[in-house]
Amino acid sequence: MKKRLICIVLIGILCVSVLAGCGNDDGRKYDVYYLNIEKTALVTKSVKIESTKVDDVIEELLRYLTTDTESTEYIKPIPADVKVRDCKLDRGELKIEFSPEYNDLKGLKEVLTRSAVAKTMLQVEGVNKVSFYVSGVPLIGDDGNVTVAYTDDSFIDDYGDESGFKESKELTLYYATEDGDNLICEKKIVELDERVPLANAVLDYLRKKPETDGAKVPIPDDTKILYTSVSDGVCYVTLDSTLLTEKPDISSKAIIYSIVNSLCDSADVKSVVIKTGNINDATQKDYLDISGTYVGDKTMVVQTKTYY
């Protein structure tokens, strides 16, 4: 009986030791940012990195960002034909250089690819900002400007995990009046997808029917959002030329400040740079150039409605 009791005690001690060993987790978990299948939003997946050396962690995260997934819901952000030529951490700035094929990425796909890489890498201890290069020169965005380095402050929204993509947020949106010469302000609480850049969400709502009688959408619903980016309090926006050819009943000034005021109030930016793309011979005769840098202007607002 005594021997049996000793045996039971020893087995119990062994089981506790094994369980303790199983609970040991020396690796750190990181969120790797992927693109959804439609290439319109980011999807996060948690991975464990065993290494503690910064260079090794960066290398392993890059491996995830460039390796095909087996998922039917998300894909790697860096395409197979785009090669990472160099990746160097210099005094807190991670400089990533891509092969020339990176320049083939355009619009939202390119912005999301850049965001996925930056968001993933900014989790690494010692990485304070991430900058992008192509063939040795700084990356040029769709707006024709050099892209600035990403920091944690570059992202308006914090992309969540798949269990919580929705968040409630107050938007202040400016629509055109019925005569197309002034603005009507609507304040509302909406459900937003955390993976979609807030600037994109604001512009998307300006294409949806407003709730106020007599208010009109300033942006046609088939206008494509080619590019958005926020840096140092400036929101860069590129829209296709549909914006300028399908709203003859709304003044260009009303279109401009519906966009600018909505972004300044809802996305918390100080100014907006607007550009338009895809101008062709068929639309050139009707083209109104609204490209420029603007700050908010509420002098055109004739009514404000709150819907919450």
Side-chain angles (χ1 to χ4, degrees):
M1 180 71 181
K2 191 181 220 178
K3 289 183 180 179
R4 186 179 172 191
L5 183 59
I6 292 172
C7 252
I8 292 172
V9 171
L10 288 173
I11 290 171
I13 292 171
L14 180 60
C15 288
V16 170
S17 299
V18 169
L19 288 173
C22 289
N24 236 353
D25 187 358
D26 295 330
R28 176 182 166 182
K29 288 187 176 180
Y30 292 84
D31 286 331
V32 176
Y33 288 78
Y34 294 95
L35 271 61
N36 66 357
I37 295 299
E38 295 80 16
K39 302 175 185 176
T40 58
L42 297 184
V43 176
T44 60
K45 283 296 175 182
S46 181
V47 301
K48 188 172 76 170
I49 305 294
E50 299 291 349
S51 178
T52 56
K53 289 183 61 178
V54 171
D55 289 345
D56 293 340
V57 172
I58 291 171
E59 184 178 345
E60 195 163 343
L61 289 175
L62 268 178
R63 193 175 301 120
Y64 279 106
L65 295 170
T66 56
T67 300
D68 287 323
T69 73
E70 297 179 356
S71 173
T72 58
E73 299 178 356
Y74 57 90
I75 59 175
K76 63 184 180 182
I78 302 176
D81 60 336
V82 175
K83 307 302 179 187
V84 178
R85 286 185 166 179
D86 193 23
C87 189
K88 184 187 302 181
L89 183 61
D90 181 17
R91 290 176 292 184
E93 180 176 3
L94 183 64
K95 301 177 180 179
I96 303 177
E97 180 184 348
F98 294 107
S99 62
E101 289 78 13
Y102 186 93
N103 286 326
D104 294 332
L105 300 178
K106 301 295 181 184
L108 182 59
K109 168 69 188 307
E110 190 278 322
V111 174
L112 288 176
T113 295
R114 205 172 351 134
S115 298
V117 175
K119 290 282 285 182
T120 300
M121 293 303 177
L122 283 168
Q123 300 169 85
V124 180
E125 186 175 353
V127 177
N128 301 320
K129 55 184 176 179
V130 180
S131 55
F132 297 89
Y133 295 78
V134 175
S135 299
V137 299
L139 173 65
I140 303 296
D142 285 354
D143 60 355
N145 297 316
V146 173
T147 58
V148 298
Y150 276 83
T151 67
D152 286 327
D153 294 333
S154 300
F155 300 94
I156 300 173
D157 281 326
D158 184 20
Y159 301 102
D161 59 24
E162 288 190 322
S163 64
F165 283 152
K166 297 294 183 181
E167 69 166 358
S168 295
K169 192 170 185 66
E170 178 187 344
L171 293 186
T172 301
L173 304 166
Y174 294 81
Y175 298 92
T177 52
E178 191 149 18
D179 60 11
D181 292 327
N182 291 292
L183 299 175
I184 293 174
C185 172
E186 286 190 0
K187 296 185 178 184
K188 60 183 76 176
I189 302 292
V190 300
E191 285 287 309
L192 298 180
D193 189 327
E194 293 179 333
R195 299 164 295 177
V196 177
L198 184 53
N200 287 60
V202 170
L203 293 171
D204 188 54
Y205 265 89
L206 291 178
R207 298 184 294 188
K208 296 179 180 179
K209 188 178 183 336
E211 298 185 47
T212 306
D213 290 337
K216 298 195 300 188
V217 293
I219 302 178
D221 59 5
D222 57 346
T223 298
K224 294 178 182 177
I225 302 168
L226 300 178
Y227 175 85
T228 67
S229 177
V230 175
S231 175
D232 296 328
V234 181
C235 183
Y236 300 90
V237 175
T238 302
L239 303 169
D240 74 356
S241 59
T242 309
L243 170 71
L244 305 173
T245 58
E246 290 193 6
K247 284 292 177 186
D249 55 341
I250 298 178
S251 70
S252 58
K253 187 175 180 181
I255 293 174
I256 290 168
Y257 286 101
S258 67
I259 295 171
V260 174
N261 290 345
S262 297
L263 289 169
C264 286
D265 285 6
S266 298
D268 193 25
V269 297
K270 296 177 182 177
S271 62
V272 179
V273 176
I274 300 176
K275 291 196 174 184
T276 53
N278 297 345
I279 304 300
N280 53 45
D281 291 337
T283 62
Q284 187 66 49
K285 59 184 176 62
D286 300 317
Y287 177 59
L288 297 173
D289 188 3
I290 65 169
S291 299
T293 301
Y294 303 92
V295 295
D297 185 346
K298 310 296 176 58
T299 58
M300 298 175 66
V301 179
V302 295
Q303 185 180 6
T304 299
K305 300 280 286 184
T306 301
Y307 293 97
Y308 57 86

